[in-house]
Amino acid sequence: MSTKEIFQKITIKKGDITKENVDAIVNAANSHLHHGGGVALAIVKAGGQEIQKESDEIINKIGFLPTGNAVITNAYCLPCKFVIHTVGPIYGEGNEDEKLHKAIYNSLYLAHLYNLKSIAFPAVSSGIFGFPKDRCAKILIDTAIEFLSNIKTSIEKVVFCLFDDETYGYFEEYYKNLL
Ligand code: ADP
């Protein structure tokens, strides 16, 4: 696939991810899948407590979700079909770039395994977890390009749905400079 075709699969937009009409939205979760703040709380508020319940069942089985891993639940009242919960690094814990890359890659891989066509990401780790927003933009976009370049996948559309102007600005700037 050409570079142009890969870039065409990526969309950068400002908005509320809970309103995204894609196959899966990604939740910036914590290791306990306790959706108590930030985008995680917004997802449960809009989608329903069933998302928290299904997440609790996963945690009852596996104990905790290690940083960089991803799991999937149904989306209930959300317009999307699934929620992919991934755990990004807390800034300062070490090896953050690698861990953030892994979280995004594994989310894309899970969407691919489910044969999904579209997926939307928030700026994972850049809120409560304190990851610098400009570096977050670079890692998320680079990982999507890497994935789409290397894997023959069902995924046709990767959306980065950013909540505030500042974060949107970093994503837009990094993406434009790649074109
Ligand atoms: P983390 O703990 O991984 O940092 P947060 O939920 O605190 O996760 O923040 C991740 C990003 O999600 C931040 O940029 C935050 O502004 C953004 N965010 C919060 N609510 C929403 C929403 N409804 N849609 C999209 N992004 C959101």
Side-chain angles (χ1 to χ4, degrees), residues 136-154:
C136 174
K138 173 176 162 45
I139 291 170
L140 267 58
I141 292 170
D142 284 352
T143 307
I145 292 170
E146 177 200 346
F147 186 91
L148 294 169
S149 307
N150 294 336
I151 309 268
K152 194 176 181 302
T153 178
S154 57

Side-chain angles (χ1 to χ4, degrees), residues 15-18 28 37-40 42 122-130 161-164 167:
D16 177 352
I17 201 163
T18 65
V39 70
V124 177
S125 279
S126 77
I128 297 162
F129 282 2
C161 180
L162 297 325
F163 205 48
D164 58 273
T167 311

Side-chain angles (χ1 to χ4, degrees), residues 77-160:
C77 299
L78 294 170
C80 58
K81 296 184 188 126
F82 297 99
V83 180
I84 291 174
H85 306 266
T86 194
V87 185
I90 300 169
Y91 196 62
E93 71 179 24
N95 294 326
E96 297 95 345
D97 288 14
E98 292 81 358
K99 288 173 181 170
L100 188 55
H101 169 268
K102 191 177 165 201
I104 303 312
Y105 196 93
N106 282 334
S107 300
L108 289 163
Y109 198 72
L110 196 48
H112 164 78
L113 288 179
Y114 273 71
N115 215 20
L116 304 184
K117 291 201 168 101
S118 53
I119 180 169
F121 285 89
V124 177
S125 279
S126 77
I128 297 162
F129 282 2
F131 199 97
K133 296 180 199 322
D134 55 341
R135 257 164 74 193
C136 174
K138 173 176 162 45
I139 291 170
L140 267 58
I141 292 170
D142 284 352
T143 307
I145 292 170
E146 177 200 346
F147 186 91
L148 294 169
S149 307
N150 294 336
I151 309 268
K152 194 176 181 302
T153 178
S154 57
I155 299 172
E156 291 169 359
K157 190 176 178 189
V158 178
V159 179
F160 292 105

